[in-house]
Amino acid sequence: NKCIGSIINAHSGAEVNSVCFSNDGSYLLSSGTDSIVRLWDWSSGRMVHAFQGAHHSKIRVPSVFSYDGNFVMTADDNTYNVVVWDIRTGELVKKLTGHNKPIRHIVVSPSEPVFLTCSDD
C-alpha cells in the first residue's frame, strides 16, 4: 500500500470528481469542478488533452473511456447530456441527449460499443 505516482495540482486547485485508467494502463482520465476532463500520459505525467464542453460543478460527474479506448465520455451536469470526445484529436464528437435530471454514473462494456447511464430521472 504505497503511492506509485501523483499528478500535483491536476485541476489547478479545483476538486477532482473522477479518475480512471485506460484499459491498457497507459493513460489516466481525470475530471474536476473546473469543468475540464484531462487526459494524462501516466508514464510521464504529461497532459495530452484538456477536453472542454461539459459543465461539472454541481455534482460529482463520472468521466470514462469507451470500450476501445478511442473516445472519452462524461456527463454534463447542466444539460444532462453525455458528451463524447475523440481521444486522438481532442475534438468534441457528439452530445447525447435522453435524461431530464443529473447523470450519476456511466458504465462502459469492456468488450463491445455499449454504455449505460444512470440518472435521477
Side-chain angles (χ1 to χ4, degrees):
N1 295 338
K2 67 177 186 169
C3 179
I4 59 168
S6 61
I7 299 172
I8 305 299
N9 220 7
H11 285 267
S12 305
E15 180 182 351
V16 175
N17 291 331
S18 77
V19 178
C20 72
F21 278 103
S22 60
N23 286 340
D24 65 4
S26 61
Y27 293 102
L28 183 71
L29 190 63
S30 65
S31 63
T33 56
D34 57 357
S35 296
I36 300 174
V37 178
R38 299 176 194 268
L39 178 68
W40 304 91
D41 179 284
W42 178 243
S43 64
S44 70
R46 182 181 62 85
M47 186 176 65
V48 178
H49 286 298
F51 303 106
Q52 296 187 39
H55 190 261
H56 296 154
S57 67
K58 298 176 192 168
I59 61 171
R60 291 188 177 271
V61 178
S63 297
V64 297
F65 291 95
S66 62
Y67 85 104
D68 58 5
N70 291 328
F71 300 96
V72 166
M73 296 180 282
T74 194
D76 185 311
D77 68 9
N78 275 349
T79 63
Y80 316 132
N81 293 334
V82 173
V83 182
V84 182
W85 293 275
D86 186 302
I87 199 170
R88 292 169 299 248
T89 65
E91 296 295 317
L92 193 148
V93 175
K94 190 174 280 198
K95 291 187 176 187
L96 304 169
T97 61
H99 287 293
N100 299 313
K101 292 190 178 175
I103 297 170
R104 300 294 182 165
H105 298 284
I106 302 173
V107 180
V108 178
S109 168
S111 60
E112 57 185 296
V114 174
F115 70 93
L116 301 173
T117 58
C118 301
S119 102
D120 290 346
D121 56 10

